[in-house]
Amino acid sequence: MPTSGRRARERASTRERIIEAALHILENEGTTALTIRRIATDVEYSAPVVYQHFANKDALVLELVGHGHRLMTAELQQAATEPAIDRRLMLLASEYVRFAGDHPHLYQIMNGDAVDADERQRAAAPTIDVLKDLLTAWSDAHDVVLTDFDEACEIIWGTLYGIASLGHLGTVGNDRARRLAQQALQTLLRGWRTAARPERA
Amino acid sequence: MPTSGRRARERASTRERIIEAALHILENEGTTALTIRRIATDVEYSAPVVYQHFANKDALVLELVGHGHRLMTAELQQAATEPAIDRRLMLLASEYVRFAGDHPHLYQIMNGDAVDADERQRAAAPTIDVLKDLLTAWSDAHDVVLTDFDEACEIIWGTLYGIASLGHLGTVGNDRARRLAQQALQTLLRGWRTAARPERA
DNA sequence: GCCGCCATCTTAACAACGTTAGGAGACCGC
DNA sequence: GCGGTCTCCTAACGTTGTTAAGATGGCGGC
């Protein structure tokens, strides 16, 4: 059956085209424009074809969430060229918030509740690992032993998420949000440094 | 026209009943159950009646958001009985996150993007004022001059929001989220304190 | 006391959504 | 060439927010 290979390739190809079309619509026109019929129209198929590749809309969205996290992780790792560990952490904060501002709709579904907690956590894990690596390097460089490493990670993660959301939701502008994220992270790190070493003489 | 007064009262009454029904549905069954027809059924009217009191669903949801923020502000101010300013701030963090955990669906629409940025900001203003008051008191008590007070407020606000969302989205449990929020705030405050006074001798 | 008006409520409908069923048609192995 | 499978489309269902058009009923003026 030589054709079955081609068929499988075609299947995978249209599946990919669907994802790309969905991503394009999402980024350019937002979540309300992201409908099954609209996606189908863009890939020049009828709506039910989409269901041959994805069980339902949530499954398709989950794919976009995964894509978003991979994209984000790639951009964050790009900041790994910076030699100074402190600046690298500042860059992480800045780039995280920038990503939320550059891809507002993608960021929105990445953190919305359309996908359930487990899936989201699994999708976000590689990105969090980047943070863990950096924080480990930082704590080594400064000889700071964090009383609870995971807790510190979650705090930073939550802080970045919250401040990025401030920018994303329009409470503050994106530039300001990036500045806030840097200041917040810097302040947190300073706090942990002085927690390890007694604060005053 | 003696009757017009009663009519106006009746109008206001059913309007209130609609809001209460909507709130009840939202808190008990979540956003997906919050439909116009469902609300109308609960107040024993037909669906179009709702549109005599609210321009559209978003306007009704905005009302719920306002209600949510009033509720939250009330709960946060309850923490104002604590005499020690530092503990009062810790209570603020803890209660904020607790609210998000106690009213997940309400919290969700309060910070969702169904309502636009301006409306949301206006609804959240009183709650933020509570934070501003506490932070002012703290900086006075510790003789710390924050280089940018508003920035510090936004950082705390964003941090609390982010960590509460971690709990709300199920990334971490609610108890853990409360602990994280307290640790985060404490670390931030320590960071600002040691920024004002030179860190090491 | 009756008539007419105005406010109110309901039924019915529209467009769009996610999703599924059933049939038409092309393509492959034999 | 034939039978079966695989793919695709049309049509439909149920639900959503929202609007239009009629029925109903109470109030004020005569």
Side-chain angles (χ1 to χ4, degrees), chain B residues 69-80:
Chain B
H69 272 106
R70 280 191 294 276
L71 195 65
M72 185 167 172
T73 306
E75 291 198 9
L76 291 189
Q77 274 174 339
Q78 207 172 346

Side-chain angles (χ1 to χ4, degrees), chain A residues 108 113 117 120 151 154 158 161-162 165 169 176 179-180 183 187-188 190-191 193 195 197 199-200, chain B residues 108 113 117 120 151 154 158-159 161-162 165 169 176 179-180 183 187-188 190-191 193 195 197 199-200:
Chain A
Q108 179 182 342
D113 47 7
R120 189 177 32 247
E151 189 175 89
E154 284 167 1
Y161 169 70
S165 298
L169 292 170
R176 176 157 181 83
R179 187 183 142 74
L180 286 178
Q183 290 292 329
T187 308
L188 279 174
R190 191 167 46 232
R193 230 161 37 205
R197 321 183 175 188
E199 180 179 347
R200 308 208 59 189
Chain B
Q108 178 180 342
D113 46 7
R120 188 177 34 247
E151 190 175 87
E154 284 166 1
T159 300
Y161 170 68
S165 298
L169 292 170
R176 177 156 181 83
R179 189 182 140 73
L180 286 178
Q183 290 292 329
T187 309
L188 279 174
R190 190 164 48 230
R193 230 160 38 204
R197 320 186 175 189
E199 179 179 351
R200 309 205 61 190

Side-chain angles (χ1 to χ4, degrees), chain B residues 132-198:
Chain B
K132 283 189 177 171
D133 287 349
L134 259 61
L135 190 57
T136 305
W138 176 85
S139 101
D140 286 352
H142 289 289
D143 259 341
V144 172
V145 280
L146 295 164
T147 55
D148 191 331
F149 180 80
D150 287 337
E151 190 175 87
C153 268
E154 284 166 1
I155 286 175
I156 294 179
W157 185 249
T159 300
L160 288 182
Y161 170 68
I163 291 178
S165 298
L166 248 50
H168 166 255
L169 292 170
T171 310
V172 303
N174 189 261
D175 288 344
R176 177 156 181 83
R178 276 171 50 207
R179 189 182 140 73
L180 286 178
Q182 293 204 358
Q183 290 292 329
L185 183 50
Q186 202 167 328
T187 309
L188 279 174
L189 294 178
R190 190 164 48 230
W192 277 316
R193 230 160 38 204
T194 58
R197 320 186 175 189

